């Protein structure tokens, strides 16, 4: 594996067996790795650098850290707040075709009950596993296959994997409680706060009166004569 860092000659790594660990002074010249086609940002919270792992199959590395949640992690009615911590426990394993990432993510959730709109606080823990294929010429035959996750150089982007795992784990219809009675159809009161809620007389008649006042809807002929119709 030869990689040019554009660094001074004394930083060249060509002695066999040496581990290519760039010194801090070399890192600045890596700000735009030529191998990163889509431009993954190595500083993005969910972009991982696999260089330390190496490419020898069986090589493993474990890591745990908190990442800031990307915007829109979850569904509209139940999600991880933007920027909230997502705790990740990851195992990266080099395999023949790429890097296998196995992990668990934990985060707090915010949302609303779909029946009564009461705020919901919950937490989530999801497991996921994804193979990131090496970005090598021999692996590019199916480049159009969007189901394949790819490394970009040494970088991989965990965000799509995390997104899918979280969304799959969330209920489509989050409720404040399994038996949430929802809202009163007449006045909108939250029935869980007022189980004996009742109306003496239905409110409907007032609406009926308003409808009478409005009278029948004016009838417009949508298919008017296209041409002038003079007498
Ligand atoms: Zn509810
Ligand atoms: Zn009511």
């Amino acid at each position: 594996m030869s990689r040019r860092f554009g660094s001074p000659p004394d930083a060249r790594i060509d002695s066999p067996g040496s581990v290519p660990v760039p010194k801090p002074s070399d890192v600045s010249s890596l700000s735009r790795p030529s191998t990163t086609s889509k431009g993954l940002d190595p500083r993005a919270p969910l972009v991982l650098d696999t260089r330390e792992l190496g490419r020898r199959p069986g090589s493993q590395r474990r890591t745990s850290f908190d990442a800031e949640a990307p915007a829109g992690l979850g569904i509209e009615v139940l999600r991880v707040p933007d920027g909230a911590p997502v705790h990740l426990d990851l195992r990266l394993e080099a395999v023949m075709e790429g890097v296998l990432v196995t992990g668990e993510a934990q985060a707090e959730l915010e949302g609303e009950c779909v029946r009564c709109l009461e705020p919901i606080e919950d937490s989530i823990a999801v497991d996921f596993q994804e193979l990131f294929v090496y970005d090598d010429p021999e692996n590019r035959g199916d480049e159009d296959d969007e189901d394949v996750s790819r490394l970009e150089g040494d970088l991989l982007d965990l965000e799509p994997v995390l997104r899918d795992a979280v969304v799959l784990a969330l209920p489509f219809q989050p409720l404040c409680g399994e038996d949430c009675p929802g809202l009163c159809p007449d006045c909108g009161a939250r029935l869980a706060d007022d189980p004996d809620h009742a109306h003496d007389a239905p409110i409907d008649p007032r609406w009926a009166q308003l409808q009478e006042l409005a009278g029948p809807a004016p009838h417009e002929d949508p298919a008017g004569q296209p041409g002038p119709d003079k007498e």
Side-chain angles (χ1 to χ4, degrees):
M1 181 165 84
S2 73
R3 177 186 290 271
R4 278 187 209 117
F5 296 124
S7 43
D10 62 350
R12 280 181 54 182
I13 301 150
D14 45 14
S15 60
S18 72
V19 181
V21 179
K23 293 181 290 189
S25 60
D26 294 325
V27 172
S28 60
S29 63
L30 286 174
S31 57
R32 297 190 62 189
S34 58
T35 48
T36 302
S37 55
K38 286 184 216 163
L40 283 183
D41 182 354
R43 293 160 301 179
L46 291 167
V47 170
L48 304 181
D49 191 337
T50 65
R51 192 180 310 149
E52 278 183 34
L53 182 66
R55 291 198 169 191
R56 183 180 303 159
S59 161
Q60 286 193 17
R61 202 177 128 232
R62 287 177 186 274
T63 179
S64 296
F65 59 96
D66 284 348
E68 286 185 7
L73 182 59
I75 57 178
E76 193 177 345
V77 286
L78 194 60
R79 69 265 157 193
V80 182
D82 294 2
V86 178
H87 184 73
L88 293 162
D89 293 303
L90 304 176
R91 188 186 71 194
L92 280 65
E93 182 180 3
V95 296
M96 286 301 290
E97 312 93 316
V99 175
L100 183 66
V101 180
T102 309
E104 187 189 46
Q106 294 170 290
E108 302 295 315
L109 297 170
E110 282 180 8
E112 297 88 38
C113 172
V114 295
R115 288 191 195 149
C116 73
L117 308 180
E118 191 79 356
I120 294 176
E121 288 184 8
D122 203 348
S123 61
I124 191 174
V126 290
D127 295 322
F128 51 86
Q129 186 171 62
E130 184 77 4
L131 173 65
F132 290 84
V133 173
Y134 289 131
D135 188 21
D136 290 337
E138 59 264 35
N139 284 335
R140 284 185 190 152
D142 49 359
E143 190 150 21
D144 292 334
D145 190 348
E146 292 181 359
D147 292 337
V148 177
S149 297
R150 291 177 186 284
L151 284 149
E152 294 185 14
D154 292 316
L155 301 178
L156 63 83
D157 185 7
L158 209 53
E159 183 177 324
V161 177
L162 179 65
R163 235 174 239 292
D164 288 353
V166 167
V167 169
L168 279 174
L170 294 177
F172 284 115
Q173 306 272 304
L175 299 174
C176 61
E178 264 182 47
D179 52 354
C180 172
L183 302 176
C184 169
D186 287 330
C187 71
R190 185 170 180 256
L191 295 177
D193 295 334
D194 191 1
D196 300 324
H197 186 91
H199 293 278
D200 292 338
I203 295 176
D204 288 0
R206 278 193 268 167
W207 293 105
Q209 278 183 342
L210 280 174
Q211 277 177 342
E212 276 176 36
L213 286 174
H219 181 255
E220 288 179 35
D221 189 357
Q225 299 297 328
D229 190 13
K230 295 176 185 168
E231 293 183 49

Short mmCIF file of all heavy atoms in Angstrom, two decimals, residues 75-78 112 114 167-175:
data_model
loop_
_atom_site.label_atom_id
_atom_site.label_comp_id
_atom_site.label_asym_id
_atom_site.label_seq_id
_atom_site.Cartn_x
_atom_site.Cartn_y
_atom_site.Cartn_z
N ILE A 75 -38.26 9.24 12.78
CA ILE A 75 -39.44 9.60 11.99
C ILE A 75 -40.03 10.88 12.57
O ILE A 75 -39.63 11.32 13.65
CB ILE A 75 -40.49 8.47 11.98
CG1 ILE A 75 -40.92 8.09 13.40
CG2 ILE A 75 -39.94 7.24 11.26
CD1 ILE A 75 -42.00 7.02 13.46
N GLU A 76 -40.96 11.48 11.85
CA GLU A 76 -41.42 12.80 12.24
C GLU A 76 -41.99 12.82 13.66
O GLU A 76 -41.75 13.76 14.41
CB GLU A 76 -42.48 13.29 11.25
CG GLU A 76 -42.78 14.76 11.39
CD GLU A 76 -43.78 15.22 10.36
OE1 GLU A 76 -44.01 14.48 9.39
OE2 GLU A 76 -44.34 16.31 10.56
N VAL A 77 -42.72 11.78 14.03
CA VAL A 77 -43.38 11.77 15.34
C VAL A 77 -42.52 11.17 16.44
O VAL A 77 -42.93 11.19 17.61
CB VAL A 77 -44.73 11.04 15.26
CG1 VAL A 77 -45.76 11.90 14.54
CG2 VAL A 77 -44.58 9.69 14.57
N LEU A 78 -41.34 10.66 16.10
CA LEU A 78 -40.45 10.10 17.12
C LEU A 78 -39.03 10.09 16.55
O LEU A 78 -38.76 9.42 15.57
CB LEU A 78 -40.90 8.68 17.47
CG LEU A 78 -40.29 8.05 18.74
CD1 LEU A 78 -40.63 8.89 19.97
CD2 LEU A 78 -40.82 6.63 18.94
N GLU A 112 -44.17 12.69 19.79
CA GLU A 112 -45.53 12.98 20.22
C GLU A 112 -46.40 11.75 20.01
O GLU A 112 -46.25 11.04 19.03
CB GLU A 112 -46.14 14.13 19.40
CG GLU A 112 -45.43 15.45 19.54
CD GLU A 112 -44.31 15.60 18.53
OE1 GLU A 112 -44.50 15.16 17.39
OE2 GLU A 112 -43.24 16.11 18.89
N VAL A 114 -49.39 9.86 18.74
CA VAL A 114 -50.16 10.15 17.53
C VAL A 114 -51.66 10.27 17.83
O VAL A 114 -52.41 10.76 17.00
CB VAL A 114 -49.95 9.09 16.43
CG1 VAL A 114 -48.50 9.11 15.95
CG2 VAL A 114 -50.33 7.71 16.91
N VAL A 167 -34.74 3.90 12.13
CA VAL A 167 -36.10 3.99 11.59
C VAL A 167 -36.80 2.64 11.67
O VAL A 167 -37.99 2.56 12.02
CB VAL A 167 -36.07 4.51 10.13
CG1 VAL A 167 -37.43 4.36 9.48
CG2 VAL A 167 -35.63 5.97 10.12
N LEU A 168 -36.07 1.56 11.37
CA LEU A 168 -36.68 0.23 11.41
C LEU A 168 -37.12 -0.14 12.83
O LEU A 168 -38.08 -0.89 12.99
CB LEU A 168 -35.70 -0.82 10.90
CG LEU A 168 -35.59 -0.96 9.39
CD1 LEU A 168 -34.48 -1.94 9.03
CD2 LEU A 168 -36.92 -1.44 8.81
N ALA A 169 -36.43 0.39 13.82
CA ALA A 169 -36.71 0.00 15.20
C ALA A 169 -37.84 0.82 15.82
O ALA A 169 -38.36 0.46 16.88
CB ALA A 169 -35.46 0.13 16.05
N LEU A 170 -38.22 1.90 15.18
CA LEU A 170 -39.23 2.78 15.77
C LEU A 170 -40.64 2.30 15.44
O LEU A 170 -40.88 1.76 14.36
CB LEU A 170 -39.07 4.21 15.24
CG LEU A 170 -37.80 4.94 15.64
CD1 LEU A 170 -37.76 6.31 14.99
CD2 LEU A 170 -37.70 5.07 17.15
N PRO A 171 -41.58 2.51 16.37
CA PRO A 171 -42.97 2.21 16.04
C PRO A 171 -43.50 3.24 15.05
O PRO A 171 -43.14 4.41 15.11
CB PRO A 171 -43.68 2.32 17.39
CG PRO A 171 -42.84 3.26 18.18
CD PRO A 171 -41.41 3.06 17.71
N PHE A 172 -44.32 2.79 14.11
CA PHE A 172 -44.88 3.73 13.14
C PHE A 172 -45.85 4.70 13.81
O PHE A 172 -46.02 5.83 13.36
CB PHE A 172 -45.60 2.98 12.02
CG PHE A 172 -44.68 2.35 11.04
CD1 PHE A 172 -44.62 0.98 10.91
CD2 PHE A 172 -43.84 3.13 10.25
CE1 PHE A 172 -43.76 0.38 10.01
CE2 PHE A 172 -42.97 2.54 9.36
CZ PHE A 172 -42.94 1.17 9.23
N GLN A 173 -46.51 4.21 14.85
CA GLN A 173 -47.56 5.00 15.51
C GLN A 173 -47.23 5.09 17.00
O GLN A 173 -47.84 4.40 17.81
CB GLN A 173 -48.93 4.33 15.33
CG GLN A 173 -49.28 4.04 13.89
CD GLN A 173 -49.96 5.21 13.25
OE1 GLN A 173 -50.99 5.70 13.74
NE2 GLN A 173 -49.42 5.71 12.17
N PRO A 174 -46.28 5.92 17.38
CA PRO A 174 -45.93 5.99 18.81
C PRO A 174 -47.09 6.52 19.66
O PRO A 174 -47.80 7.44 19.25
CB PRO A 174 -44.74 6.97 18.83
CG PRO A 174 -44.83 7.74 17.57
CD PRO A 174 -45.48 6.84 16.56
N LEU A 175 -47.26 5.89 20.81
CA LEU A 175 -48.35 6.26 21.72
C LEU A 175 -47.76 6.59 23.09
O LEU A 175 -46.74 6.06 23.48
CB LEU A 175 -49.34 5.10 21.87
CG LEU A 175 -50.04 4.63 20.60
CD1 LEU A 175 -50.86 3.39 20.89
CD2 LEU A 175 -50.94 5.74 20.05
#
